[in-house]
């Protein structure tokens, strides 16, 4: 009896305990940094989750997903010095992810898995900030608790699934390390894609009017730049890092692109909060388009190996090439895309235009130096009550506790929340009270109840900060969304320190913020913006001195990079501290589990959506297993195949119009692209009702010609829709069928859905 | 208003049966009404507090004209299952109570204070729906709630009870 009670007590204690990630001792640092040939490897981590989990980013307005539009990925770029990889500065993994934010718990879980390859201080996970990706993986209570989404909850299985996928991608990147050349291109013409959504707050900074560029760049012709201050009050910088494989025997010769990373300041959020399809929003389009162009270039540089893109991988190919493109969001805190409708079609067209811009800003292959500097400094710092010195040497302190202000409630001005309709939470600033305590003029969001959000673990308090030098550019990795001005003040300090301490040989030309990195403490506003307590200021958790804190710490890391001194550097530099998270492990069923139920898979109908789009859209609905049972998580699950023996997959050239560019050597038309919008509906007899909307653009239809094709659903046995071609489209969808495919509306019982009928009987 | 914006509310009516375990032993039956405020401030079950009122008629000795009543404050946790969850939930309350209760043969009915506990199992009446069809900002749900309770009243009176409630619950967490 006594032992039973003791066991029960121990189990209860375990259930009540949170999650602890152990400290990891620091790696040695090198006394000197010299340029060397870098080796780079890449890996792709699939993050797409089944329906039933919630999206994350719109707080209480984040809907539960019922499907996916674009698959979401992390893309691993592993950089290693050719000298070896025992010191901290000799290896770093930069991993842009199509997620809303990164949790430090996720970063540590990944680090745990790849401990033989990387120290936590060498893992830079960043989020593009799509609000259409999954949640439920944060270790802090406020990000998984009530009001975090419409279906809150921490799901350990989902967290572990994400960490497994990213870790495998890091291992793949390690196995694919090869000599590389880095080429940067830095421009300042990122206009007419984004606008400043918090102009009132921006103007509190008292800086000069945002200038009109002279001469006007081509991008500026797409909008009224001179007439709209919000279009100019942005960060017009775009930085693109291109990574090319080099011939180890002839370092001057490049062998094709390994990948590229683009950095610019803009929320990717065209899609509104009522979106229910997982996806990468506009950055999903950018990544896909640029990767297609990288594949094209790779095939052009390696014509004999283009067949290695075939699936399955042919004999004689060591690995399947997969040049990657990742987007890192910089100081985008108050910068939103210029959007109007907020639907997927607009995200596609906007993303396509942005993708073409990013691709045009890629440096020429091999244009960089054959040798590059790789170095980094990392600090996990407790932000609570942290002392800091501003640029004038005056000491300040951050707040000892985090708090959201009332201005956070209504959401950003371009995506207001549901409660913004209430007078108490309308988005017009100011929302400030009397200056009291360390939070200054901030009025607590919940009034006296806000003390509940101050407890340990409600928000992150130990912040991972890092400065990485890659060739001539400093990347400042911070766990926040800095406004344009806040980010600029940080990078200005970094460059001032670099100018003072760096030797001419290794002095960087540029410093860029890499936001939403390794943790997430919401927004970072300047002191002036903070005083207004608009959305970004109210979401600056640790008070009005937070911007100065980040500038101070990033300056410290930059100085340590160029002039390390043991007596001045913090003792914990490079350490991964012991971290405790209050969320308890457990299954909250956000990650759909396989049921193993017997399912009668069948195709029901394929029809044509006549909704006036540029090209016909094909809707197919079918019965398949539940979200946890279908083979959705590893793409492709849906694809276009030929109506022929063996149903070979359709491959398209996707020509640019310039013959010299060649074809996309992969060219498959499947759900790894952006043409499929797939969702689950309801449980029906025999399984679950699913639909997919195939929305090719006009160019793809043109290229398809009159080839007869079918839509195919993967699984233990393939499921095929009705055959169609450009000249023999399926019958027009009924209004209910159209609603099913477009909006996911609940459909009436299965018996009411028409069986397939021949074209001659359409009666359209 | 700020508190109301935080929470959902539940109201229920039902039948209650109580049995005073004392000399005299008094079985009773009556009506019950409950009103709860549910604060979903933490993950998992909501913190709930509210009031429960019962009027009871003695079942033996030709009744007592509904002379008994109990008034309890309920403070505890309540997990009222959403349409995407398993249809039976749980709740547990601490219940400071005031009651007009049978305490002895000499003074059969008297006003007494006490303390008790109540355990219940809210059973959702609505059909199950998948999570993507049940993420409303606010929703009204109906539950049947069987419950049991035990209360100790000063000086030495144990009152055990059981009942069945029909409860309407407005779930909302319109917390900015």
């Amino acid at each position: 009896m006594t032992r039973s009670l003791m066991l029960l007590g121990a189990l209860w204690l375990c259930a009540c305990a949170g999650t602890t990630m152990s400290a990891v001792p620091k790696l040695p640092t090198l006394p000197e940094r010299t340029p060397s040939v870098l080796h780079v490897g890449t890996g792709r981590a699939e993050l797409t989750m089944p329906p039933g989990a919630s999206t994350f980013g719109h707080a209480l307005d984040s809907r539960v997903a019922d499907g996916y539009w674009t698959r979401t990925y992390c893309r691993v770029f592993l950089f290693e010095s050719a000298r070896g990889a025992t010191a901290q500065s000799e290896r770093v993994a930069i991993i842009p992810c199509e997620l809303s934010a990164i949790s430090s718990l996720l970063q540590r879980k990944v680090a745990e898995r790849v401990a033989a390859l990387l120290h936590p201080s060498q893992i830079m996970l960043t989020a593009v900030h799509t609000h259409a990706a999954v949640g439920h993986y944060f270790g802090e209570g406020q990000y998984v608790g009530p009001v975090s989404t419409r279906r809150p909850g921490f799901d350990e299985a989902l967290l572990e699934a994400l960490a497994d996928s990213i870790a495998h991608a890091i291992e793949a990147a390690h196995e694919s390390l090869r000599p590389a050349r880095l080429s940067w291109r830095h421009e300042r013409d990122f206009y007419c894609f984004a606008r400043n959504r918090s102009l009132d707050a921006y103007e509190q900074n008292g800086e000069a009017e945002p200038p009109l560029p002279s001469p006007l760049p081509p991008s500026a012709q797409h909008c009224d730049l001179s007439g709209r201050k919000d279009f100019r009050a942005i960060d017009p910088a775009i930085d693109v890092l291109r990574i090319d494989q080099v011939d180890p025997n002839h370092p001057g010769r490049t062998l094709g692109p390994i990948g590229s990373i683009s950095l610019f300041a803009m929320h990717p959020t065209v899609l509104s909060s009522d979106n229910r399809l997982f996806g990468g929003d506009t950055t999903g389009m950018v990544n896909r388009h640029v990767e297609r162009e990288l594949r094209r270039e790779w095939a052009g540089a390696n014509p004999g190996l283009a067949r290695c893109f075939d699936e399955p991988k042919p004999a004689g190919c060591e690995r399947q090439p997969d040049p990657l493109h990742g987007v890192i969001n910089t100081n985008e805190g108050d910068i939103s895309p210029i959007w109007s409708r907020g639907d997927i079609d607009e995200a596609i067209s906007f993303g396509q235009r942005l993708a073409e811009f990013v691709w045009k800003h890629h440096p020429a292959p091999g244009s960089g130096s054959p040798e590059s500097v790789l170095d980094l400094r990392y600090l996990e710092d407790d932000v609570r009550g942290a002392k800091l010195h501003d640029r004038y040497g005056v000491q300040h302190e951050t707040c000892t506790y985090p708090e959201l202000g009332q201005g956070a409630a209504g959401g950003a001005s371009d995506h207001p929340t549901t409660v913004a309709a209430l007078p108490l939470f309308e988005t017009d600033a100011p929302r400030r009270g009397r200056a009291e305590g360390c939070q200054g003029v901030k009025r607590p969001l919940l009034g006296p109840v806000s003390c509940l959000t101050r407890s340990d673990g409600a928000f992150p308090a130990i912040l991972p900060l890092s400065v990485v030098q890659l060739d001539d550019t400093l990347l400042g990795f911070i766990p926040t969304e800095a406004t344009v001005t806040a980010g600029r003040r940080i990078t200005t300090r970094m460059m001032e320190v670099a100018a003072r301490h760096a030797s001419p040989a290794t002095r960087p030309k540029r410093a860029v913020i890499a936001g939403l990195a390794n943790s997430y403490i919401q927004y970072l506003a300047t002191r002036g913006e903070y005083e207004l307590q608009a959305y970004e200021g109210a979401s600056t958790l640790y008070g009005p001195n937070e911007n100065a804190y980040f500038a101070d710490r990033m300056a410290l890391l930059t100085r340590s990079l160029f002039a390390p001194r043991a007596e001045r550097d913090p003792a914990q530099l490079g350490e991964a501290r012991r971290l405790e998270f209050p969320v308890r492990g457990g299954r909250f069923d956000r990650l759909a589990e396989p049921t193993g139920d017997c399912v009668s898979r069948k195709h029901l109908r394929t029809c044509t959506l006549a909704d006036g789009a540029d090209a016909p859209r094909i809707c197919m609905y079918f019965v398949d297993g539940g979200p946890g049972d279908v083979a959705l998580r590893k793409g492709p699950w849906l694809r276009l195949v030929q109506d022929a023996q063996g149903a070979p997959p359709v491959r398209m050239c996707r020509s640019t119009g310039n013959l010299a560019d060649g074809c996309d050597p992969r060219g498959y038309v499947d759900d790894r692209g952006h043409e499929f919008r797939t969702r689950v509906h309801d449980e029906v007899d025999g399984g679950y009702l699913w639909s997919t909307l195939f929305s090719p653009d006009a160019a793809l239809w043109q290229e398809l010609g009159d080839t007869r094709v079918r839509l195919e659903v993967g699984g233990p046995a393939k499921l095929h829709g009705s055959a169609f071609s450009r000249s023999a489209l399926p019958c027009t969808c009924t209004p209910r069928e159209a609603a099913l495919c477009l909006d996911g509306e609940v459909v009436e019982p299965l018996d009411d859905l028409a069986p397939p009928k021949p074209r001659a009987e359409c009666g359209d | 208003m700020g508190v109301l914006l935080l929470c959902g509310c539940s109201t229920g009516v039902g039948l209650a049966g109580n049995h005073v375990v004392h000399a005299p032993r008094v079985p009773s039956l009556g009506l019950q009404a409950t009103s709860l405020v549910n604060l979903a401030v933490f993950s998992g079950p909501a913190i709930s507090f509210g009031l429960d009122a019962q009027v009871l008629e003695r079942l033996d000795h030709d009744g007592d004209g509904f002379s008994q009543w109990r008034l309890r404050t309920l403070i505890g946790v309540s997990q009222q299952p959403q349409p995407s969850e398993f249809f039976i939930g749980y709740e547990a309350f601490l219940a400071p109570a005031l009651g007009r209760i049978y305490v002895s043969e000499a003074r059969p009915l008297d006003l007494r204070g006490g303390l008790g506990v109540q355990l219940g199992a809210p059973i959702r009446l609505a059909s199950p729906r998948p999570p993507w069809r049940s993420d409303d900002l606010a929703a009204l749900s109906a539950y049947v709630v069987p419950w049991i309770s035990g209360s100790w009243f000063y000086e030495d009176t144990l009152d055990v009870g059981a009942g069945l409630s029909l409860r309407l619950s407005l779930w909302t967490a319109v917390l900015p």
Side-chain angles (χ1 to χ4, degrees), chain A residues 60 63-64 145-147 150-151 276 409 418-419 425 445-446 452 680-682 744 746, chain B residues 1 5-6 40-43 84-85 130-133 135-137 171 173-176:
Chain A
L60 197 57
R63 304 296 208 267
V64 176
V147 312
R150 288 281 176 94
R151 192 182 188 211
R276 285 184 182 278
T418 304
V419 300
F425 303 120
L445 175 57
L446 300 177
L452 292 169
V680 67
H681 299 278
D682 294 286
V746 177
Chain B
M1 184 185 174
L5 284 176
L6 257 180
V41 180
F42 303 109
S43 291
S84 59
E85 296 170 337
W132 51 90
R133 298 248 186 264
D135 63 349
D136 307 304
L137 195 59
W171 178 85
V174 184
L175 179 71

Side-chain angles (χ1 to χ4, degrees), chain A residues 400-422:
Chain A
T400 53
Y401 59 89
E403 191 163 69
L404 281 169
Q406 206 163 314
S413 60
D414 63 329
H415 285 297
T417 64
T418 304
V419 300
L422 299 172

Side-chain angles (χ1 to χ4, degrees), chain A residues 198 272 561:
Chain A
S198 291
S272 61
L561 199 65

